[in-house]
Amino acid sequence: MCQQNYDASRMQCEEVLHDVFDALEKGISDRSYLKPGGSQKYIDMFRQLAEEYRARTDSQIMSEEVLSKFLKTKEDIGNMILRADQSLSAAEQEKEEEKMKTEFLKQQKRSLKKQNWLQEQMFKDMQRTHYEHVIQIIHQMEREQDRMRRDNKRVLEAKLREKDALLQMGLQEQASKMQRQIDSLRTEMHKQQKSKPSTVSRIIDGVSATAELILPGFVSRGLSAVSKWFK
């Protein structure tokens, strides 16, 4: 009679077990646990279903024995899921590291491109500043030369009038002396006129040499273009 009770209890527990753990079996069949984190998901599901099974077989004397035997039959599956999870986790980690490396290289490339752009803009700004500085110097020099020409012209006209006055008064010697001064002034004016392009070139060359120390091969090209206007 006692054996019959054990057998009957076992049968009832197995029936409940199959009903409760059907969800776990389906998850194993459709490979739901063969994913990263699948091992923990499998363990959590097993514990949840075991609690449900115990709650439904609490009054059965064969409850724990049936559950224990069922657990042993699932040890190999549990170990397989654990090994698969570890393998998948390693692969996912390697994939994530490769993704991070790729993103880092992309970011590094974008940063380098931006840095090059900023450097180029800086060079262009400095080129423009030097160019404007040269133009300013040239204009200032031209104004100074124009002033000198006007001054020399006024002096020359005054000396010519003075020479004419000396001739009218019959002062030939003083008039000849004044003519020599006039000739000397005209020679000086002619030299100044001829030296204008070379003076501009020397100024440009000086600024260009300074710029070359700061921006090698970059600013001097623009200054050379300016110097051609005055040669």
Side-chain angles (χ1 to χ4, degrees):
M1 185 67 179
C2 289
Q3 186 61 42
Q4 290 179 347
N5 290 339
Y6 282 122
D7 292 342
S9 177
R10 182 181 294 106
M11 289 179 63
Q12 290 182 22
C13 289
E14 289 175 350
E15 184 178 346
V16 173
L17 184 75
H18 293 154
D19 181 54
V20 171
F21 282 88
D22 182 62
L24 185 71
E25 296 291 351
K26 289 181 179 179
I28 295 172
S29 298
D30 62 17
R31 305 171 68 86
S32 297
Y33 305 111
L34 297 180
K35 300 177 181 178
S39 178
Q40 188 60 49
K41 183 179 179 181
Y42 175 81
I43 293 172
D44 292 342
M45 176 62 76
F46 203 103
R47 287 175 178 171
Q48 178 183 337
L49 296 178
E51 290 178 3
E52 181 180 346
Y53 164 81
R54 288 191 175 102
R56 291 176 59 177
T57 60
D58 183 56
S59 61
Q60 297 295 327
I61 58 175
M62 297 299 292
S63 175
E64 289 300 320
E65 183 177 334
V66 171
L67 180 62
S68 179
K69 288 182 179 179
F70 178 75
L71 179 59
K72 288 182 180 180
T73 64
K74 297 301 179 186
E75 284 183 355
D76 290 343
I77 294 177
N79 290 332
M80 181 194 71
I81 291 174
L82 177 60
R83 287 193 298 271
D85 188 17
Q86 291 173 341
S87 177
L88 289 169
S89 297
E92 284 294 316
Q93 183 177 359
E94 184 177 351
K95 183 179 179 181
E96 185 64 24
E97 288 176 356
E98 187 63 27
K99 181 180 178 181
M100 291 177 64
K101 181 180 178 180
T102 301
E103 182 59 31
F104 172 77
L105 291 175
K106 287 181 179 179
Q107 180 63 36
Q108 190 177 42
K109 186 177 180 180
R110 289 194 294 267
S111 298
L112 183 60
K113 185 177 180 181
K114 183 177 181 180
Q115 183 179 358
N116 290 338
W117 182 85
L118 290 173
Q119 188 176 26
E120 184 179 353
Q121 294 304 308
M122 180 188 70
F123 284 169
K124 287 181 178 179
D125 290 342
M126 295 184 73
Q127 181 190 33
R128 183 172 58 254
T129 299
H130 280 279
Y131 179 83
E132 292 173 352
H133 181 57
V134 171
I135 297 300
Q136 183 179 5
I137 291 175
I138 292 173
H139 288 168
Q140 182 178 355
M141 185 192 69
E142 287 178 335
R143 287 193 297 270
E144 181 64 21
Q145 288 181 335
D146 287 341
R147 184 190 64 77
M148 290 176 63
R149 280 195 297 271
R150 289 193 300 271
D151 290 346
N152 287 336
K153 185 178 180 180
R154 283 195 294 269
V155 172
L156 179 62
E157 290 174 350
K159 287 183 178 295
L160 286 171
R161 288 193 297 270
E162 185 176 352
K163 187 195 76 169
D164 290 341
L166 290 171
L167 288 173
Q168 290 176 5
M169 289 185 293
L171 300 174
Q172 185 66 41
E173 183 177 351
Q174 287 87 341
S176 298
K177 183 178 180 180
M178 181 60 63
Q179 183 61 49
R180 289 193 294 272
Q181 293 180 8
I182 291 171
D183 292 341
S184 175
L185 181 58
R186 282 174 172 168
T187 300
E188 183 64 26
M189 291 172 66
H190 182 67
K191 287 181 179 180
Q192 289 178 356
Q193 184 63 28
K194 286 185 63 177
S195 67
K196 175 183 175 182
S198 60
T199 302
V200 172
S201 296
R202 287 196 299 272
I203 293 173
I204 292 175
D205 290 342
V207 178
S208 178
T210 303
E212 186 73 15
L213 295 175
I214 303 172
L215 301 171
F218 194 80
V219 174
S220 57
R221 291 194 296 270
L223 297 180
S224 297
V226 175
S227 66
K228 292 179 181 179
W229 301 346
F230 301 95
K231 291 184 179 180

